[in-house]
Amino acid sequence: MKKLAGTALIFLAAIFSYGQSVNISPSGDTGSEGEENSIEKEIQVNQSELEKAADQNIQFENYGGPYAVIESAAAIKGIGENLGKVIAENLFEPATIEPLAKYTLIHAVNPSDNEKLSADILVLNENAGVDHINNVRRILNGYLEKAYGYSEEDASTLSVFITVYNAVYRGNMENFSEKYNEVVLQYLSAEKTGLSTNWEDWAGNSQIIIPLGNLAEGISSIDTTAISDENVVEAIRQTEDKGVEVREQLTEIKEKEAAAASENAKEAQKEAAKQKQEGNKTEAKAAAKESSQQQKVADRKIEEVKKEREEIKKDKESIAAEETPDLLTGLFVSDEKKGFYQLVTVDASSGKVICKSPVTQIRSKAVYIVENVTIETLSEEVKTFKELYMAVCGINDSHSAIRLCLIDPEKLELQKQSNEVLSESMELIQNGSDFIVVIQDEKKFRVAIYDKNLTLKTASKEYVKGKTPLNLTAKGLLVTGEKGNPLLLDPKTLESVWNKGNTNVHSAGNEK
């Protein structure tokens, strides 16, 4: 990907209003410990319903700036795990778990109704803190694993479809009334049912429906046939990578379903032979019928897998043959009144927008490229990046915070944020391999130096004005002191040049 020339990106005069994205800071609500699930549960997520919903290209708008509190991925997933453990204790009884907490799970089941679907309903209450679709899916992942014994990989795949399904049918009560039983419908309202594509609408306005199959069907209730529908596959193929990885994961699920159905068919056939030998004609006939039905399921799944594998192979070949476009990344206005910017990547030959950053609150036109950076990302993975963008982002409120940020050049997503909160000054300057900003120290401010990994190297002992300009001169760093007086600091150590005898470096980690 080609970048604009120079260390700092050049501002491009254009206005874009886009969505945002990043992690969240919810607190998990604990539930009672449940018994360990068996691998095969009689209640299973009705995957057919989920896959039908994926035929629309849903784009979720997530919060994208730095935030005040960071919660680990494990803690977020733990919200769903705690809910799932309780449900696993008694799958066949309706239940409402954590009704007064941030996240409520309603287990709306009716084992006697074989005509319409039962469901689990994950309710995001008014005090829910989730603001990124990945974290909604983490909660669902934990729930599906603990409640129904899904593997982590299969739960992850299902969670994608659950969220898309709920976005597609958001507020569509006709759809839910047609397919779900009365036990489910009594909890639903048109204003809240489903999941909005905008994170700002989630808290207090979301009833995420997880469709369940007939309680007597067991593993056979999972039906992935709809995933091979032409409209569904075509929608997935509209992404840049043609959804190859997700589609391959779904074919793997189908292969497991085919194997399970084939084994069920063999066992039913053995039972039919046994009953026939014992003279039980009625039982033998029923077992033979079950064997035939199970074999048909296995055969259908095998054919679907074969067809999809062939299509995936063609798409891989097509991707490999595509020419890499000539791209440019620049700063664009995201909020003209507030003076916020965001990074946007465009096709250099046509101006077509290829990628828009979910980080829409960059506070200055000073955005720098740093190279060969190894960091622990917000998703808790240690990664090495050939290039990253460094910028001052965010706002100071109960949800967000102004922090120094690193943004990746491919998806233009926030990868890391500084531990320290910055002042509302838009100042960010580079001095060799160092980056200088103004940070908050309780209600006061200090000048600080960071390295390219966002490690705080040192901070000034002297307090400064929160909005002081950072004047890098041949004599040193000239700033405005707390009382409005001029201060000249050594740009490498932040010691006072005019008062070296009485000033010590205020080291990182000892700001207070």
Side-chain angles (χ1 to χ4, degrees), residues 21 34 60 68 88 105 114 156 219 241 251 330 354 378 394-395 403 424:
S21 92
F60 289 99
L105 194 287
N114 296 320
S156 178
I219 196 169
D241 62 357
T251 59
I354 303 300
L378 292 174
I395 58 174
R403 300 185 190 269
E424 294 189 0

Side-chain angles (χ1 to χ4, degrees), residues 45 50 60 73 76-84 103-105 120-124 130 132-152 154-166 195 207-211:
V45 171
L50 304 181
F60 289 99
I76 297 166
K77 185 178 179 182
I79 297 169
E81 290 176 336
N82 289 328
L83 294 170
Y103 305 90
T104 299
L105 194 287
D120 286 329
I121 307 169
L122 177 63
V123 182
L124 309 185
V130 66
H132 194 292
I133 193 61
N134 288 346
N135 288 322
V136 175
R137 290 168 180 168
R138 284 190 177 104
I139 294 172
L140 291 168
N141 287 359
Y143 178 74
L144 294 173
E145 289 177 38
K146 295 301 180 182
Y148 302 113
Y150 282 104
S151 68
E152 183 176 4
D154 288 353
S156 178
T157 301
L158 281 171
S159 295
V160 172
F161 283 98
I162 289 170
T163 50
V164 173
Y165 171 79
N166 277 270
L195 185 67
Q207 296 174 324
I208 301 174
I209 312 302
I210 306 172

Side-chain angles (χ1 to χ4, degrees), residues 81-344:
E81 290 176 336
N82 289 328
L83 294 170
K85 289 174 183 177
V86 181
I87 293 302
E89 293 178 350
N90 196 337
L91 292 174
F92 303 97
E93 291 293 328
T96 298
I97 312 302
E98 301 284 9
L100 301 178
K102 294 183 178 182
Y103 305 90
T104 299
L105 194 287
I106 301 171
H107 189 54
V109 295
N110 182 0
S112 64
D113 188 345
N114 296 320
E115 298 298 324
K116 291 192 173 184
L117 297 174
S118 291
D120 286 329
I121 307 169
L122 177 63
V123 182
L124 309 185
N125 295 315
E126 291 184 0
N127 55 347
V130 66
D131 62 6
H132 194 292
I133 193 61
N134 288 346
N135 288 322
V136 175
R137 290 168 180 168
R138 284 190 177 104
I139 294 172
L140 291 168
N141 287 359
Y143 178 74
L144 294 173
E145 289 177 38
K146 295 301 180 182
Y148 302 113
Y150 282 104
S151 68
E152 183 176 4
E153 183 179 8
D154 288 353
S156 178
T157 301
L158 281 171
S159 295
V160 172
F161 283 98
I162 289 170
T163 50
V164 173
Y165 171 79
N166 277 270
V168 168
Y169 292 109
R170 169 74 168 170
N172 188 340
M173 294 307 297
E174 181 179 353
N175 169 75
F176 292 109
S177 297
E178 189 176 290
K179 297 177 180 177
Y180 290 85
N181 62 44
E182 291 301 322
V183 178
V184 176
L185 296 177
Q186 67 178 316
Y187 295 105
L188 305 184
S189 67
E191 295 77 18
K192 297 182 179 182
T193 301
L195 185 67
S196 169
T197 56
N198 188 337
W199 72 275
E200 293 182 289
D201 299 330
W202 291 351
N205 295 295
S206 304
Q207 296 174 324
I208 301 174
I209 312 302
I210 306 172
L212 303 175
N214 190 301
L215 301 183
E217 289 184 354
I219 196 169
S220 299
S221 65
I222 301 175
D223 181 7
T224 56
T225 300
I227 198 66
S228 61
D229 177 270
E230 291 183 1
N231 294 328
V232 174
V233 174
E234 186 59 30
I236 296 172
R237 290 182 68 252
Q238 296 310 305
T239 58
E240 185 178 355
D241 62 357
K242 298 185 184 295
V244 166
E245 183 177 357
V246 174
R247 289 158 60 197
E248 285 183 325
Q249 290 169 352
L250 287 168
T251 59
E252 290 170 6
I253 292 175
K254 288 183 179 182
E255 287 175 334
K256 286 185 285 188
E257 290 175 339
S262 179
E263 184 62 28
N264 289 341
K266 291 177 183 178
E267 292 300 319
Q269 186 59 43
K270 290 179 182 179
E271 181 64 20
K274 177 184 175 181
Q275 294 294 338
K276 183 177 181 181
Q277 186 177 12
E278 294 176 356
N280 300 322
K281 294 183 179 180
T282 301
E283 290 80 358
K285 184 177 180 181
K289 181 179 179 181
E290 174 66 15
S291 176
S292 176
Q293 290 175 338
Q294 289 293 324
Q295 191 57 52
K296 287 180 180 178
V297 171
D299 293 343
R300 185 175 72 252
K301 298 294 183 182
I302 291 170
E303 286 300 314
E304 290 173 3
V305 169
K306 180 180 178 181
K307 179 182 178 182
E308 183 62 13
R309 293 269 187 215
E310 291 174 352
E311 292 176 352
I312 290 173
K313 181 181 178 181
K314 292 178 182 178
D315 283 341
K316 284 183 175 180
E317 293 172 349
S318 174
I319 292 171
E322 291 179 357
E323 293 185 7
T324 303
D326 189 14
L327 303 178
L328 290 174
T329 296
L331 260 184
F332 286 69
V333 174
S334 61
D335 191 321
E336 192 169 22
K337 291 183 179 180
K338 295 181 179 179
F340 291 150
Y341 308 105
Q342 74 180 133
L343 293 164
V344 178

